[in-house]
Amino acid sequence: MSDYQEIINRYKDMRGGIIQAYHAVQDHYGYIPEEAVTAAAKAFKMPKAQAYGVATFYSYFKVGKRGRNVIRICESAPCHVAGADELVKTLEKELGIKMGETTVDGRFTLEFTECVGQCQSTPVITINGKPYANVTADNVAAILAEYR
Amino acid sequence: MAQEMRIVLRNYGKIDPLKIEDLGSGAVFVLDETRDIVDVVTRIAKFFEHESCGKCTPCREGTKRMHELMKKIRNGLATEADLALISSLGNNMKKICLCGLGQAAPIPVLTTIEHFKNDYITKLPA
Ligand code: SF4
Ligand code: FES
């Protein structure tokens, strides 16, 4: 049995358990494999469209492969005025990918996020959920080095 | 040029916890006159488009159209008619969106058009 099938089975008798199942699948893979959505639809007895709808509604779920380290750039208003656009350019250049893409070595993925509640020291990025504040073109390379 | 915008700071500490939905986020966002208010509001409109859950049409469609119109204004492509349209859209959303998110979504647009009208007018093509 595939890993995701085993994970989904753990939640299949729980009411509304599909969300917990997706969380657990994502914890395991770092994302939700396409086939896991089909498996979830079956396990929770709903049309695939509905299972796909749940998986794609929440920005924290990602259907389809992504890198081991997920970098999310906050683009809400306070980070926006603090220069999030510049940070996007810097990170795209540093990693050689565009927003939404994954590096060829599978190490980094670039995504946007809305406010993560650290507006006291903008601009902010998160890497695998850990926030980094006051990120600038000058210190971003040092932050990335922790994950290279 | 910016004129003024009045902010009422409530004592959030004294709000009945059962009425937490009245609270809003309690955020105060201070910008000086070097900031482009129309650009900031365009970004806020994008936020609401993203956050709309899609259950009701005035919010699902309204936040999307509002963001489109704000981009048009910011990019210097809008007309007076677009300003009237976005105001009327916003006033409708305030009344007919199903929940607080959709009802609050047009407020940054409407209040800045009211208090910083000139910043919008200067974006219209000459
Ligand atoms: S107003 Fe509320 S219920 Fe309607 S789409 Fe927006 S978030 Fe959903
Ligand atoms: S706006 Fe970026 S952390 Fe709040």
Side-chain angles (χ1 to χ4, degrees), chain A residues 57 59 74-82 112-115, chain B residues 29 31 35 39-40 43-44 46-47 50-54 74:
Chain A
F57 180 77
S59 352
C74 174
E75 61 160 356
S76 286
C79 284
H80 175 75
V81 298
F112 280 117
T113 180
E114 293 291 350
C115 181
Chain B
F29 182 22
L31 303 167
R35 302 298 186 180
D39 176 58
V40 172
R43 183 59 196 74
I44 296 174
K46 185 178 179 190
F47 169 81
H50 180 259
E51 295 302 309
S52 171
C53 84
R74 182 197 60 193

PDB file of all heavy atoms in Angstrom, chain A residues 57 59 74-82 112-115, chain B residues 29 31 35 39-40 43-44 46-47 50-54 74:
ATOM      1  N   PHE A  57      -8.479  24.804  -2.024  1.00  0.00           N
ATOM      2  CA  PHE A  57      -9.072  26.002  -1.427  1.00  0.00           C
ATOM      3  C   PHE A  57      -8.100  26.690  -0.465  1.00  0.00           C
ATOM      4  O   PHE A  57      -8.018  27.913  -0.414  1.00  0.00           O
ATOM      5  CB  PHE A  57     -10.361  25.631  -0.677  1.00  0.00           C
ATOM      6  CG  PHE A  57     -11.032  26.802  -0.027  1.00  0.00           C
ATOM      7  CD1 PHE A  57     -11.763  27.695  -0.790  1.00  0.00           C
ATOM      8  CD2 PHE A  57     -10.917  27.022   1.335  1.00  0.00           C
ATOM      9  CE1 PHE A  57     -12.373  28.789  -0.198  1.00  0.00           C
ATOM     10  CE2 PHE A  57     -11.526  28.118   1.931  1.00  0.00           C
ATOM     11  CZ  PHE A  57     -12.261  28.997   1.159  1.00  0.00           C
ATOM     12  N   SER A  59      -4.588  27.928   1.003  1.00  0.00           N
ATOM     13  CA  SER A  59      -3.268  28.213   0.417  1.00  0.00           C
ATOM     14  C   SER A  59      -2.156  27.377   1.037  1.00  0.00           C
ATOM     15  O   SER A  59      -1.092  27.273   0.457  1.00  0.00           O
ATOM     16  CB  SER A  59      -2.904  29.684   0.517  1.00  0.00           C
ATOM     17  OG  SER A  59      -3.942  30.454   0.973  1.00  0.00           O
ATOM     18  N   CYS A  74       5.902  37.229   1.834  1.00  0.00           N
ATOM     19  CA  CYS A  74       4.672  37.922   2.219  1.00  0.00           C
ATOM     20  C   CYS A  74       4.472  39.116   1.286  1.00  0.00           C
ATOM     21  O   CYS A  74       5.381  39.905   1.076  1.00  0.00           O
ATOM     22  CB  CYS A  74       4.755  38.413   3.657  1.00  0.00           C
ATOM     23  SG  CYS A  74       3.312  39.410   4.085  1.00  0.00           S
ATOM     24  N   GLU A  75       3.281  39.215   0.727  1.00  0.00           N
ATOM     25  CA  GLU A  75       3.014  40.341  -0.166  1.00  0.00           C
ATOM     26  C   GLU A  75       1.803  41.162   0.292  1.00  0.00           C
ATOM     27  O   GLU A  75       1.242  41.917  -0.485  1.00  0.00           O
ATOM     28  CB  GLU A  75       2.881  39.882  -1.619  1.00  0.00           C
ATOM     29  CG  GLU A  75       1.767  38.912  -1.874  1.00  0.00           C
ATOM     30  CD  GLU A  75       1.340  38.836  -3.345  1.00  0.00           C
ATOM     31  OE1 GLU A  75       1.861  39.593  -4.192  1.00  0.00           O
ATOM     32  OE2 GLU A  75       0.458  38.042  -3.638  1.00  0.00           O
ATOM     33  N   SER A  76       1.404  41.004   1.561  1.00  0.00           N
ATOM     34  CA  SER A  76       0.326  41.857   2.077  1.00  0.00           C
ATOM     35  C   SER A  76       0.812  43.299   2.182  1.00  0.00           C
ATOM     36  O   SER A  76       2.017  43.561   2.134  1.00  0.00           O
ATOM     37  CB  SER A  76      -0.154  41.352   3.430  1.00  0.00           C
ATOM     38  OG  SER A  76      -0.932  40.184   3.251  1.00  0.00           O
ATOM     39  N   ALA A  77      -0.140  44.228   2.372  1.00  0.00           N
ATOM     40  CA  ALA A  77       0.171  45.656   2.248  1.00  0.00           C
ATOM     41  C   ALA A  77       1.427  46.124   3.011  1.00  0.00           C
ATOM     42  O   ALA A  77       2.285  46.776   2.406  1.00  0.00           O
ATOM     43  CB  ALA A  77      -1.053  46.482   2.616  1.00  0.00           C
ATOM     44  N   PRO A  78       1.590  45.822   4.308  1.00  0.00           N
ATOM     45  CA  PRO A  78       2.782  46.322   5.006  1.00  0.00           C
ATOM     46  C   PRO A  78       4.095  45.804   4.395  1.00  0.00           C
ATOM     47  O   PRO A  78       5.058  46.572   4.269  1.00  0.00           O
ATOM     48  CB  PRO A  78       2.596  45.824   6.439  1.00  0.00           C
ATOM     49  CG  PRO A  78       1.112  45.715   6.585  1.00  0.00           C
ATOM     50  CD  PRO A  78       0.623  45.215   5.246  1.00  0.00           C
ATOM     51  N   CYS A  79       4.129  44.540   4.017  1.00  0.00           N
ATOM     52  CA  CYS A  79       5.340  44.021   3.363  1.00  0.00           C
ATOM     53  C   CYS A  79       5.465  44.589   1.958  1.00  0.00           C
ATOM     54  O   CYS A  79       6.574  44.814   1.471  1.00  0.00           O
ATOM     55  CB  CYS A  79       5.319  42.493   3.336  1.00  0.00           C
ATOM     56  SG  CYS A  79       5.701  41.760   4.945  1.00  0.00           S
ATOM     57  N   HIS A  80       4.340  44.818   1.324  1.00  0.00           N
ATOM     58  CA  HIS A  80       4.343  45.403  -0.020  1.00  0.00           C
ATOM     59  C   HIS A  80       5.025  46.774  -0.004  1.00  0.00           C
ATOM     60  O   HIS A  80       5.917  47.031  -0.820  1.00  0.00           O
ATOM     61  CB  HIS A  80       2.899  45.513  -0.517  1.00  0.00           C
ATOM     62  CG  HIS A  80       2.735  46.205  -1.830  1.00  0.00           C
ATOM     63  ND1 HIS A  80       3.065  45.601  -3.021  1.00  0.00           N
ATOM     64  CD2 HIS A  80       2.280  47.443  -2.141  1.00  0.00           C
ATOM     65  CE1 HIS A  80       2.813  46.451  -4.011  1.00  0.00           C
ATOM     66  NE2 HIS A  80       2.339  47.571  -3.501  1.00  0.00           N
ATOM     67  N   VAL A  81       4.631  47.646   0.941  1.00  0.00           N
ATOM     68  CA  VAL A  81       5.258  48.972   0.969  1.00  0.00           C
ATOM     69  C   VAL A  81       6.712  48.905   1.445  1.00  0.00           C
ATOM     70  O   VAL A  81       7.497  49.795   1.176  1.00  0.00           O
ATOM     71  CB  VAL A  81       4.484  50.025   1.827  1.00  0.00           C
ATOM     72  CG1 VAL A  81       3.105  50.266   1.282  1.00  0.00           C
ATOM     73  CG2 VAL A  81       4.428  49.638   3.277  1.00  0.00           C
ATOM     74  N   ALA A  82       7.055  47.817   2.145  1.00  0.00           N
ATOM     75  CA  ALA A  82       8.442  47.689   2.620  1.00  0.00           C
ATOM     76  C   ALA A  82       9.361  47.110   1.559  1.00  0.00           C
ATOM     77  O   ALA A  82      10.539  46.870   1.818  1.00  0.00           O
ATOM     78  CB  ALA A  82       8.480  46.824   3.883  1.00  0.00           C
ATOM     79  N   PHE A 112       4.068  32.822  -2.869  1.00  0.00           N
ATOM     80  CA  PHE A 112       3.614  34.011  -2.146  1.00  0.00           C
ATOM     81  C   PHE A 112       2.816  33.597  -0.928  1.00  0.00           C
ATOM     82  O   PHE A 112       2.276  32.496  -0.866  1.00  0.00           O
ATOM     83  CB  PHE A 112       2.698  34.857  -3.039  1.00  0.00           C
ATOM     84  CG  PHE A 112       3.436  35.721  -4.025  1.00  0.00           C
ATOM     85  CD1 PHE A 112       3.269  35.531  -5.387  1.00  0.00           C
ATOM     86  CD2 PHE A 112       4.277  36.721  -3.586  1.00  0.00           C
ATOM     87  CE1 PHE A 112       3.935  36.326  -6.304  1.00  0.00           C
ATOM     88  CE2 PHE A 112       4.960  37.528  -4.488  1.00  0.00           C
ATOM     89  CZ  PHE A 112       4.785  37.330  -5.850  1.00  0.00           C
ATOM     90  N   THR A 113       2.725  34.490   0.051  1.00  0.00           N
ATOM     91  CA  THR A 113       1.787  34.288   1.146  1.00  0.00           C
ATOM     92  C   THR A 113       1.170  35.632   1.487  1.00  0.00           C
ATOM     93  O   THR A 113       1.718  36.685   1.140  1.00  0.00           O
ATOM     94  CB  THR A 113       2.479  33.697   2.389  1.00  0.00           C
ATOM     95  OG1 THR A 113       1.501  33.531   3.422  1.00  0.00           O
ATOM     96  CG2 THR A 113       3.579  34.608   2.922  1.00  0.00           C
ATOM     97  N   GLU A 114       0.020  35.582   2.139  1.00  0.00           N
ATOM     98  CA  GLU A 114      -0.512  36.808   2.714  1.00  0.00           C
ATOM     99  C   GLU A 114       0.121  36.966   4.100  1.00  0.00           C
ATOM    100  O   GLU A 114       0.892  36.109   4.538  1.00  0.00           O
ATOM    101  CB  GLU A 114      -2.046  36.743   2.809  1.00  0.00           C
ATOM    102  CG  GLU A 114      -2.750  36.715   1.454  1.00  0.00           C
ATOM    103  CD  GLU A 114      -2.634  38.037   0.665  1.00  0.00           C
ATOM    104  OE1 GLU A 114      -2.171  39.040   1.231  1.00  0.00           O
ATOM    105  OE2 GLU A 114      -2.996  38.038  -0.527  1.00  0.00           O
ATOM    106  N   CYS A 115      -0.213  38.054   4.793  1.00  0.00           N
ATOM    107  CA  CYS A 115       0.384  38.416   6.085  1.00  0.00           C
ATOM    108  C   CYS A 115       0.562  37.231   7.033  1.00  0.00           C
ATOM    109  O   CYS A 115      -0.347  36.449   7.247  1.00  0.00           O
ATOM    110  CB  CYS A 115      -0.506  39.463   6.755  1.00  0.00           C
ATOM    111  SG  CYS A 115       0.135  40.000   8.339  1.00  0.00           S
TER     112      CYS A 115
ATOM    113  N   PHE B  29      -2.232  50.855  10.358  1.00  0.00           N
ATOM    114  CA  PHE B  29      -1.200  50.816   9.331  1.00  0.00           C
ATOM    115  C   PHE B  29      -0.896  52.270   8.964  1.00  0.00           C
ATOM    116  O   PHE B  29      -1.748  52.969   8.434  1.00  0.00           O
ATOM    117  CB  PHE B  29      -1.781  50.023   8.162  1.00  0.00           C
ATOM    118  CG  PHE B  29      -0.870  49.802   6.983  1.00  0.00           C
ATOM    119  CD1 PHE B  29       0.503  49.879   7.089  1.00  0.00           C
ATOM    120  CD2 PHE B  29      -1.419  49.476   5.758  1.00  0.00           C
ATOM    121  CE1 PHE B  29       1.316  49.654   5.994  1.00  0.00           C
ATOM    122  CE2 PHE B  29      -0.616  49.251   4.652  1.00  0.00           C
ATOM    123  CZ  PHE B  29       0.749  49.342   4.775  1.00  0.00           C
ATOM    124  N   LEU B  31       1.053  55.236   7.056  1.00  0.00           N
ATOM    125  CA  LEU B  31       1.803  55.528   5.830  1.00  0.00           C
ATOM    126  C   LEU B  31       2.047  57.015   5.754  1.00  0.00           C
ATOM    127  O   LEU B  31       1.149  57.798   6.071  1.00  0.00           O
ATOM    128  CB  LEU B  31       0.962  55.144   4.606  1.00  0.00           C
ATOM    129  CG  LEU B  31       0.480  53.709   4.509  1.00  0.00           C
ATOM    130  CD1 LEU B  31      -0.579  53.592   3.433  1.00  0.00           C
ATOM    131  CD2 LEU B  31       1.648  52.807   4.210  1.00  0.00           C
ATOM    132  N   ARG B  35       4.118  57.565   0.214  1.00  0.00           N
ATOM    133  CA  ARG B  35       3.540  56.308  -0.282  1.00  0.00           C
ATOM    134  C   ARG B  35       2.420  56.583  -1.265  1.00  0.00           C
ATOM    135  O   ARG B  35       1.684  57.553  -1.130  1.00  0.00           O
ATOM    136  CB  ARG B  35       2.990  55.469   0.872  1.00  0.00           C
ATOM    137  CG  ARG B  35       4.005  55.125   1.924  1.00  0.00           C
ATOM    138  CD  ARG B  35       5.125  54.304   1.357  1.00  0.00           C
ATOM    139  NE  ARG B  35       6.022  53.857   2.427  1.00  0.00           N
ATOM    140  CZ  ARG B  35       7.085  53.117   2.231  1.00  0.00           C
ATOM    141  NH1 ARG B  35       7.426  52.767   1.014  1.00  0.00           N
ATOM    142  NH2 ARG B  35       7.834  52.747   3.233  1.00  0.00           N
ATOM    143  N   ASP B  39      -1.760  52.579  -4.931  1.00  0.00           N
ATOM    144  CA  ASP B  39      -1.026  51.311  -5.060  1.00  0.00           C
ATOM    145  C   ASP B  39      -1.270  50.421  -3.840  1.00  0.00           C
ATOM    146  O   ASP B  39      -1.489  49.219  -3.964  1.00  0.00           O
ATOM    147  CB  ASP B  39       0.469  51.601  -5.227  1.00  0.00           C
ATOM    148  CG  ASP B  39       1.295  50.318  -5.269  1.00  0.00           C
ATOM    149  OD1 ASP B  39       1.019  49.495  -6.163  1.00  0.00           O
ATOM    150  OD2 ASP B  39       2.177  50.147  -4.421  1.00  0.00           O
ATOM    151  N   VAL B  40      -1.241  51.023  -2.649  1.00  0.00           N
ATOM    152  CA  VAL B  40      -1.459  50.247  -1.426  1.00  0.00           C
ATOM    153  C   VAL B  40      -2.868  49.656  -1.413  1.00  0.00           C
ATOM    154  O   VAL B  40      -3.064  48.480  -1.095  1.00  0.00           O
ATOM    155  CB  VAL B  40      -1.214  51.125  -0.170  1.00  0.00           C
ATOM    156  CG1 VAL B  40      -1.624  50.387   1.091  1.00  0.00           C
ATOM    157  CG2 VAL B  40       0.244  51.536  -0.089  1.00  0.00           C
ATOM    158  N   ARG B  43      -3.204  46.709  -3.617  1.00  0.00           N
ATOM    159  CA  ARG B  43      -2.681  45.494  -2.977  1.00  0.00           C
ATOM    160  C   ARG B  43      -3.687  44.920  -1.985  1.00  0.00           C
ATOM    161  O   ARG B  43      -3.877  43.712  -1.884  1.00  0.00           O
ATOM    162  CB  ARG B  43      -1.347  45.789  -2.281  1.00  0.00           C
ATOM    163  CG  ARG B  43      -0.727  44.566  -1.677  1.00  0.00           C
ATOM    164  CD  ARG B  43      -0.482  43.525  -2.751  1.00  0.00           C
ATOM    165  NE  ARG B  43      -0.225  42.181  -2.248  1.00  0.00           N
ATOM    166  CZ  ARG B  43      -1.096  41.351  -1.735  1.00  0.00           C
ATOM    167  NH1 ARG B  43      -2.346  41.702  -1.588  1.00  0.00           N
ATOM    168  NH2 ARG B  43      -0.748  40.141  -1.332  1.00  0.00           N
ATOM    169  N   ILE B  44      -4.370  45.818  -1.246  1.00  0.00           N
ATOM    170  CA  ILE B  44      -5.370  45.353  -0.281  1.00  0.00           C
ATOM    171  C   ILE B  44      -6.550  44.698  -1.029  1.00  0.00           C
ATOM    172  O   ILE B  44      -7.093  43.695  -0.590  1.00  0.00           O
ATOM    173  CB  ILE B  44      -5.835  46.514   0.631  1.00  0.00           C
ATOM    174  CG1 ILE B  44      -4.639  47.005   1.480  1.00  0.00           C
ATOM    175  CG2 ILE B  44      -6.982  46.085   1.526  1.00  0.00           C
ATOM    176  CD1 ILE B  44      -4.921  48.234   2.327  1.00  0.00           C
ATOM    177  N   LYS B  46      -6.310  43.073  -3.748  1.00  0.00           N
ATOM    178  CA  LYS B  46      -5.854  41.737  -4.143  1.00  0.00           C
ATOM    179  C   LYS B  46      -5.986  40.760  -2.974  1.00  0.00           C
ATOM    180  O   LYS B  46      -6.380  39.609  -3.141  1.00  0.00           O
ATOM    181  CB  LYS B  46      -4.394  41.810  -4.610  1.00  0.00           C
ATOM    182  CG  LYS B  46      -3.884  40.485  -5.140  1.00  0.00           C
ATOM    183  CD  LYS B  46      -2.446  40.592  -5.638  1.00  0.00           C
ATOM    184  CE  LYS B  46      -1.977  39.233  -6.146  1.00  0.00           C
ATOM    185  NZ  LYS B  46      -0.532  39.225  -6.408  1.00  0.00           N
ATOM    186  N   PHE B  47      -5.656  41.262  -1.789  1.00  0.00           N
ATOM    187  CA  PHE B  47      -5.794  40.447  -0.581  1.00  0.00           C
ATOM    188  C   PHE B  47      -7.229  39.928  -0.443  1.00  0.00           C
ATOM    189  O   PHE B  47      -7.465  38.746  -0.226  1.00  0.00           O
ATOM    190  CB  PHE B  47      -5.400  41.282   0.648  1.00  0.00           C
ATOM    191  CG  PHE B  47      -5.754  40.652   1.969  1.00  0.00           C
ATOM    192  CD1 PHE B  47      -4.942  39.672   2.531  1.00  0.00           C
ATOM    193  CD2 PHE B  47      -6.890  41.041   2.662  1.00  0.00           C
ATOM    194  CE1 PHE B  47      -5.262  39.093   3.750  1.00  0.00           C
ATOM    195  CE2 PHE B  47      -7.214  40.468   3.883  1.00  0.00           C
ATOM    196  CZ  PHE B  47      -6.400  39.491   4.433  1.00  0.00           C
ATOM    197  N   HIS B  50      -8.202  37.291  -2.893  1.00  0.00           N
ATOM    198  CA  HIS B  50      -7.642  35.999  -2.500  1.00  0.00           C
ATOM    199  C   HIS B  50      -8.409  35.372  -1.343  1.00  0.00           C
ATOM    200  O   HIS B  50      -8.633  34.166  -1.300  1.00  0.00           O
ATOM    201  CB  HIS B  50      -6.170  36.196  -2.134  1.00  0.00           C
ATOM    202  CG  HIS B  50      -5.483  34.936  -1.719  1.00  0.00           C
ATOM    203  ND1 HIS B  50      -5.245  34.624  -0.412  1.00  0.00           N
ATOM    204  CD2 HIS B  50      -5.025  33.895  -2.447  1.00  0.00           C
ATOM    205  CE1 HIS B  50      -4.639  33.443  -0.351  1.00  0.00           C
ATOM    206  NE2 HIS B  50      -4.495  32.983  -1.565  1.00  0.00           N
ATOM    207  N   GLU B  51      -8.817  36.189  -0.382  1.00  0.00           N
ATOM    208  CA  GLU B  51      -9.443  35.655   0.828  1.00  0.00           C
ATOM    209  C   GLU B  51     -10.917  35.301   0.649  1.00  0.00           C
ATOM    210  O   GLU B  51     -11.477  34.556   1.442  1.00  0.00           O
ATOM    211  CB  GLU B  51      -9.317  36.652   1.994  1.00  0.00           C
ATOM    212  CG  GLU B  51      -7.884  36.905   2.437  1.00  0.00           C
ATOM    213  CD  GLU B  51      -7.151  35.641   2.865  1.00  0.00           C
ATOM    214  OE1 GLU B  51      -7.681  34.885   3.699  1.00  0.00           O
ATOM    215  OE2 GLU B  51      -6.048  35.398   2.353  1.00  0.00           O
ATOM    216  N   SER B  52     -11.566  35.861  -0.364  1.00  0.00           N
ATOM    217  CA  SER B  52     -12.979  35.560  -0.579  1.00  0.00           C
ATOM    218  C   SER B  52     -13.167  34.049  -0.669  1.00  0.00           C
ATOM    219  O   SER B  52     -12.453  33.372  -1.400  1.00  0.00           O
ATOM    220  CB  SER B  52     -13.443  36.208  -1.881  1.00  0.00           C
ATOM    221  OG  SER B  52     -14.744  35.753  -2.199  1.00  0.00           O
ATOM    222  N   CYS B  53     -14.163  33.520   0.068  1.00  0.00           N
ATOM    223  CA  CYS B  53     -14.331  32.060   0.064  1.00  0.00           C
ATOM    224  C   CYS B  53     -15.100  31.598  -1.158  1.00  0.00           C
ATOM    225  O   CYS B  53     -15.105  30.424  -1.481  1.00  0.00           O
ATOM    226  CB  CYS B  53     -15.006  31.586   1.347  1.00  0.00           C
ATOM    227  SG  CYS B  53     -16.808  31.696   1.312  1.00  0.00           S
ATOM    228  N   GLY B  54     -15.795  32.524  -1.845  1.00  0.00           N
ATOM    229  CA  GLY B  54     -16.468  32.163  -3.080  1.00  0.00           C
ATOM    230  C   GLY B  54     -17.896  31.691  -2.922  1.00  0.00           C
ATOM    231  O   GLY B  54     -18.561  31.357  -3.897  1.00  0.00           O
ATOM    232  N   ARG B  74      -4.654  52.353 -10.902  1.00  0.00           N
ATOM    233  CA  ARG B  74      -3.239  52.508 -10.554  1.00  0.00           C
ATOM    234  C   ARG B  74      -2.361  52.628 -11.798  1.00  0.00           C
ATOM    235  O   ARG B  74      -1.395  53.400 -11.826  1.00  0.00           O
ATOM    236  CB  ARG B  74      -2.775  51.306  -9.710  1.00  0.00           C
ATOM    237  CG  ARG B  74      -1.324  51.413  -9.273  1.00  0.00           C
ATOM    238  CD  ARG B  74      -0.759  50.092  -8.820  1.00  0.00           C
ATOM    239  NE  ARG B  74      -0.806  49.092  -9.866  1.00  0.00           N
ATOM    240  CZ  ARG B  74      -0.609  47.792  -9.655  1.00  0.00           C
ATOM    241  NH1 ARG B  74      -0.380  47.346  -8.443  1.00  0.00           N
ATOM    242  NH2 ARG B  74      -0.662  46.946 -10.671  1.00  0.00           N
TER     243      ARG B  74
END
